[in-house]
Every structure is written in C-alpha cells, then in structure tokens.
Amino acid sequence: MKRVNAVAYSKDFKTEGHKPVLILADDRKKYVIKPQRPDRFDYSIYNEILAHHFLKLWGFHSPEIALVKVDKEILKNSYNAKTYKAGSFKLDFFGSEFVENCFEINEMYGFSKQVDYKKLERPEMLIRLGLFDIWLENDDRKPTNYNILFRQNNQKVSIVPIDNAFLFSTLDFSQIDPANGVCNSVNDNVLYSQIACQIIKKVKPTKKWIDDQRELFYICINRCQGKFDEIIETIQPHIPLSKDERLNLQTFLFHKERNEQVFNDFLSRIKK
C-alpha cells in the first residue's frame, strides 16, 4: 500500500463516527484521513481498504487510498483531532484522496432536488451500488446518509462512493456467517433514494434486464474472488489479519447460496 506523511492540516469535516480531517501530504495530494483505534483491531479501517479494491472491481470510481503517518502537532488546530486517542498517532491513519469539484448529498436534500438523473454519466451505477451494499451488508449508506459524492465531468455527473467503514453489519470478521443470510436492513439502502426509484422506473426491469444484472453480479463476484488473496496480501504487512478471520471473510463473501440470496434480496427491493 502507498504510504505518505501528513505535512499540513487543512480542515475538519462535520460528521459523526470517525470525525475525519483533511490534510496535505508529502506527495502534494490532499487526503481525508481517519485514525485507527489503538486498543483493538480496527475492522472499520480494514473495511475501508477492502471496499476500495472491491468497488474498483465492480466498475466504480473509488478515490485512491494511502496509509498516512500523522504527527499530532500537525493537527493541533483541528477540533476533530482532539477526540482522537493518543495511541492512534503511533499507527498509520487511513487516507482517501480528496476529490475536487464534488458535492455530497445529505439527509436534508433529496437526490432529485440536487441532480437530474438524466445528467448522471452512468445512471445504472447507482442501482449497482445498491446491490454492492447488500453484498457487503453496508450499514452506512442509506437515504439518511448517502455517502456518495457527485463529481462534475463535462456535461455529466459521475458518482463516487465514499465512507465504507461499517460493512458486514458492523460485525467482526469472526462473527460473520453466511448461514445468517442477508442482513442489510430494510430501507437502509441507496435503492430507496428518490433518484434510484426514478432510474428503476425508467429501466422498467424486464426479464432480460434482470438476467443481465445477474450475469454482471456474478462477473463482479468472480473478479473479487480472483483478486481476494492479492488484496489481502497488500494489506497484511500493515494491518495483519488472522488466518481464521481471513478464511471466514473469504467464505462469507463468496458463499454460493448466500450470494444467490443477495441477488434475490436485490430483486425484491427494486420490484417494490
């Protein structure tokens, strides 16, 4: 994984959870950084790295990531950093490259009030993101917390998923079990947003459309399975995962019966 050093503080972001901070690094790029917990294995940071790789394999734009070394003195003017545990500064922070010319939707503004779905570069990607989040049981992308940036690209707007910390129903990897089926909460999915409903209405899911989505789903799953070991090995020197949890994670992600349930759950949501 890429490693950089923070050289200057820029600003805080007003969010709950990790309370991220924007910094400038020694590679002359800006990163939104989050601290690792120093007292235990930080699954949320591991999830961020894992989701970044999987999003790319699913065809999404995911900001480049890095592990960031941060001196506490650099963040002396940050209000958010005052909440960080002292031990976090002994560890690498997770950094996601700051995406310029973007805006984020929050619960105060529905999609339809901000973006005309016809202007989206690839509207179907929003629907695919809903399926992605069911597969990974993302607890934190929903109509009250979209965690999506919109990036202007000429006359079109592309979507950039961000903040993927709370995957697998916020469970430790030792606790996830494909036998539990699909646990992405009802209504807690971007598929229930106004613009997603408009896109679904537009495509009018036909048998051919559904068959195409099913085929694409398994293509994406196979890509992730084929790259799984390589991805884990890139993380292992920095955030080592036990053999048992690695095996449990792999079994969960690529469990045939569960993934059939994932796609069926997706279908039930888009047909409502």
Side-chain angles (χ1 to χ4, degrees):
M1 286 188 64
K2 181 177 181 179
R3 302 188 74 175
V4 298
N5 297 295
V7 295
Y9 161 74
S10 180
K11 67 174 183 179
D12 288 347
F13 291 95
K14 295 181 180 180
T15 68
E16 297 180 0
H18 285 99
K19 298 187 182 301
V21 169
L22 183 66
I23 59 94
L24 176 67
D26 56 4
D27 64 351
R28 299 185 180 181
K29 294 181 179 180
K30 294 179 181 178
Y31 292 88
V32 180
I33 61 170
K34 299 176 181 180
Q36 287 192 64
R37 290 189 57 142
D39 52 339
R40 63 177 178 84
F41 188 92
D42 199 330
Y43 291 94
S44 65
I45 297 301
Y46 204 97
N47 288 341
E48 288 276 18
I49 301 170
L50 199 63
H52 163 75
H53 290 288
F54 285 163
L55 281 165
K56 288 191 141 188
L57 291 169
W58 277 58
F60 292 96
H61 172 75
S62 179
E64 293 305 316
I65 62 173
L67 296 174
V68 186
K69 184 65 178 175
V70 183
D71 188 311
K72 189 175 182 179
E73 184 66 16
I74 289 174
L75 300 185
K76 63 182 180 181
N77 294 321
S78 165
Y79 176 80
N80 283 359
K82 297 183 189 306
T83 67
Y84 299 167
K85 296 181 182 297
S88 294
F89 290 92
K90 297 178 182 179
L91 303 171
D92 290 322
F93 282 54
F94 169 78
S96 179
E97 190 173 336
F98 183 65
V99 185
E100 304 284 355
N101 302 318
C102 285
F103 61 94
E104 185 175 5
I105 302 296
N106 59 36
E107 69 273 12
M108 296 178 64
Y109 300 99
F111 273 106
S112 64
K113 296 178 182 179
Q114 291 285 327
V115 176
D116 182 348
Y117 78 93
K118 294 179 181 178
K119 293 181 180 178
L120 287 175
E121 188 174 29
R122 297 167 65 192
E124 74 280 0
M125 294 303 289
L126 194 64
I127 308 304
R128 192 183 303 179
L129 184 59
L131 177 55
F132 179 86
D133 285 341
I134 296 170
W135 178 52
L136 292 185
E137 296 188 4
N138 188 345
D139 277 346
D140 204 30
R141 187 163 21 247
K142 49 198 172 185
T144 56
N145 187 29
Y146 289 114
N147 282 338
I148 296 173
L149 297 178
F150 284 87
R151 183 177 62 175
Q152 188 71 42
N153 182 17
N154 296 323
Q155 298 301 313
K156 292 288 186 177
V157 175
S158 59
I159 68 169
V160 182
I162 59 171
D163 291 347
N164 302 286
F166 300 112
L167 307 181
F168 310 112
S169 299
T170 323
L171 296 174
D172 295 354
F173 297 161
S174 60
Q175 298 174 304
I176 56 177
D177 185 353
N180 292 333
V182 180
C183 301
N184 192 226
S185 301
V186 176
N187 296 328
D188 283 354
N189 192 286
V190 72
L191 292 172
Y192 296 104
S193 65
Q194 294 179 31
I195 192 168
C197 291
Q198 291 179 50
I199 295 169
I200 293 168
K201 185 177 180 180
K202 179 86 171 174
V203 300
K204 298 177 181 178
T206 61
K207 182 180 183 305
K208 183 181 183 308
W209 185 88
I210 290 171
D211 288 344
D212 288 345
Q213 299 309 306
R214 180 182 286 106
E215 181 181 5
L216 185 57
F217 171 62
Y218 284 107
I219 288 172
C220 291
I221 294 295
N222 288 337
R223 286 176 186 162
C224 294
Q225 188 169 14
K227 289 286 187 179
F228 180 81
D229 287 335
E230 181 181 333
I231 292 168
I232 299 300
E233 289 304 317
T234 65
I235 310 172
Q236 198 69 5
H238 313 287
I239 311 177
L241 189 65
S242 73
K243 290 182 178 179
D244 287 344
E245 288 196 306
R246 176 174 177 165
L247 179 59
N248 206 43
L249 178 62
Q250 186 173 22
T251 300
F252 180 85
L253 289 169
F254 309 116
H255 193 274
K256 181 179 178 181
E257 287 75 20
R258 179 185 175 273
N259 284 335
E260 288 176 357
Q261 293 177 21
V262 167
F263 192 79
N264 288 334
D265 184 84
F266 165 73
L267 290 182
S268 71
R269 293 173 189 247
I270 65 172
K271 288 181 176 180
K272 286 185 178 181

